[in-house]
Amino acid sequence: MEVKIGVQYAPRELVLESKLSPKDLSDTIEQAVKDGGVLRLEDDKGRQVIVPVEKIAYVEIAATNVRSVGFTVDA
């Protein structure tokens, strides 16, 4: 799953690929916001992203799309 995290006062969003399901990601994010402190996520390569929850502007969870390469022909 692709996760995009908008951070207040940061010019770019954080983007990572996670092995977690959308439900597990949502639960993890909701729990971090409820508890305060930090949101800690691990990407599919084992790297960790840690963001203070008070600095999170938004979190977007999207299915990873497989991009097709080629041309379409309209008949």
Side-chain angles (χ1 to χ4, degrees):
M1 299 304 306
E2 181 179 73
V3 181
K4 295 180 182 180
I5 304 170
V7 180
Q8 295 176 5
Y9 310 114
R12 297 185 335 181
E13 60 194 9
L14 300 173
V15 180
L16 65 111
E17 292 289 330
S18 176
K19 294 179 184 178
L20 296 176
S21 71
K23 172 79 170 115
D24 291 340
L25 279 168
S26 180
D27 291 346
T28 299
I29 294 163
E30 287 179 23
Q31 190 63 45
V33 170
K34 184 188 299 185
D35 294 344
V38 297
L39 170 62
R40 182 184 311 261
L41 295 174
E42 186 174 307
D43 74 2
D44 59 354
K45 295 178 181 157
R47 295 178 291 203
Q48 289 191 5
V49 174
I50 302 170
V51 181
V53 293
E54 69 269 5
K55 298 296 182 188
I56 295 174
Y58 64 90
V59 178
E60 179 182 320
I61 301 170
T64 304
N65 292 338
V66 177
R67 296 180 183 179
S68 61
V69 176
F71 298 94
T72 59
V73 178
D74 294 328

